Amino acid sequence: MSTKSINPTYYNMSADVVAFSTTREGGVSEGNYASFNINAYCGDTEDHVDANRRLLAEELGIAPQRIIMPHQTHGVETRIISNEFLGLPQNVRGMLLEGVDAVLTDVSQLCIGVSTADCIPVLLYDPEHHATAAVHAGWRGTLARIVHKTILEMRMAYKTDPANIKAVIGPGISLKNFEVGEEVYEAFEQAAFDMGTIAEEQIKRNPDAADPSKLFEKKWHINLPLANKQLLVHNGVREENIICTDICTYDNAEKYFSARRLGTMSGRIYTGIIIK
């Protein structure tokens, strides 16, 4: 164990895996990246990212190069990480992880994960076939049902039965703080999400309104964690097998990175899973 306490949040998912989300604590990054950030795509310095990655590898008891992090683009591209992948040159591995928002593996002692700072991270584990997946579900990925696509990939690659999947919905922005425009609400509505359960209209005060009649305005809020839970259940995951952290990154920005609080030039939470 490192002398620095990076203090991940661990999830009691299964005795056969280690599942966790990193917090902001215990690293070497500075400013809006302080202090634990291992994401190389958000503007942090390479030295700090590398040092923090080594700290996480030490915490997990694996080599730093066995921590897999895709470069996410809010799409639905998935990538299976095999033993063959690990033998590829670093630049080729980087190319294969470009534009990927979900990663899957059945390789032990390999940590796959996704980066978030208000978006919703989802971990999946198939205990029958010892296969895992880590999914980045922002509002665009949720809308495009990336959780659904990832479960289909697990079924094809590992013969996973969704009824056996254990899932974690990690820290992300809550309904209270995820205000969206009409166009986002309408996109979810047109995509046949259950808006009666995942959306709520709230009245907000607009102190800058010149017109007194517009001092108060209605704004839509969407519950991304619940939307992803519904996608899991719809795809056959048993509700009792889903761990919902109910941690709002926006409300807990002192412990977890929040892009809406800190700006996009800030650190990222890494939510990962490793088969023992």
Side-chain angles (χ1 to χ4, degrees):
M1 292 287 282
S2 168
T3 53
K4 273 188 174 293
S5 178
I6 63 172
N7 198 28
T9 299
Y10 287 101
Y11 307 118
N12 188 21
M13 198 176 191
S14 166
D16 297 322
V17 298
V18 176
F20 64 93
S21 294
T22 59
T23 67
R24 297 184 63 182
E25 299 167 354
V28 301
S29 295
E30 298 172 346
N32 281 352
Y33 303 98
S35 61
F36 188 81
N37 168 63
I38 65 164
N39 187 297
Y41 307 111
C42 59
D44 199 358
T45 69
E46 185 177 348
D47 287 348
H48 288 164
V49 169
D50 288 347
N52 287 333
R53 181 180 283 256
R54 288 193 298 271
L55 286 171
L56 179 59
E58 191 175 344
E59 172 81 13
L60 298 173
I62 59 175
Q65 59 268 30
R66 293 183 76 86
I67 298 173
I68 305 298
M69 178 186 296
H71 186 195
Q72 303 153 192
T73 54
H74 298 276
V76 292
E77 190 71 25
T78 62
R79 181 74 68 234
I80 292 174
I81 309 299
S82 62
N83 274 313
E84 290 76 16
F85 176 91
L86 297 173
L88 295 171
Q90 192 64 41
N91 64 321
V92 177
R93 286 172 51 163
M95 287 169 57
L96 290 173
L97 291 171
E98 183 66 34
V100 170
D101 281 80
V103 280
L104 304 81
T105 195
D106 62 353
V107 179
S108 61
Q109 292 300 298
L110 176 71
C111 183
I112 57 170
V114 290
S115 301
T116 58
D118 289 335
C119 292
I120 311 302
V122 180
L123 299 177
L124 306 173
Y125 174 54
D126 170 2
E128 183 182 1
H129 300 98
H130 297 287
T132 57
V135 185
H136 165 240
W139 73 261
R140 291 179 181 86
T142 303
L143 182 65
R145 291 175 162 81
I146 189 171
V147 160
H148 167 74
K149 186 172 188 286
T150 305
I151 291 174
L152 287 180
E153 293 278 355
M154 291 183 75
R155 294 180 74 162
M156 288 187 289
Y158 310 120
K159 304 188 186 311
T160 294
D161 179 351
N164 294 329
I165 288 177
K166 296 182 182 297
V168 170
I169 298 172
I173 197 163
S174 62
L175 175 142
K176 180 183 76 170
N177 295 307
F178 188 50
E179 180 184 302
V180 301
E182 285 285 343
E183 72 286 353
V184 174
Y185 175 89
E186 289 170 4
F188 274 85
E189 187 176 44
Q190 290 166 11
F193 280 82
D194 183 358
M195 304 311 287
T197 60
I198 71 161
E200 183 179 292
E201 203 171 26
Q202 297 184 5
I203 297 174
K204 297 292 179 74
R205 189 173 185 275
N206 181 12
D208 299 322
D211 183 346
S213 67
K214 295 181 179 178
L215 187 59
F216 294 93
E217 54 187 1
K218 292 181 178 179
K219 293 287 186 180
W220 283 109
H221 288 240
I222 288 180
N223 191 331
L224 287 180
L226 179 58
N228 281 284
K229 182 180 180 181
Q230 290 178 353
L231 288 173
L232 289 169
V233 172
H234 180 74
N235 280 278
V237 180
R238 295 188 177 117
E239 193 163 351
E240 61 267 29
N241 286 346
I242 303 171
I243 296 171
C244 299
T245 60
D246 294 324
I247 297 170
C248 176
T249 43
Y250 186 90
D251 279 342
N252 294 279
E254 74 289 342
K255 186 171 183 179
Y256 298 95
F257 290 109
S258 167
R260 286 204 171 196
R261 272 283 176 88
L262 301 166
T264 55
M265 299 299 287
S266 58
R268 300 290 187 270
I269 302 160
Y270 180 75
T271 296
I273 185 167
I274 178 170
I275 302 168
K276 292 181 180 178

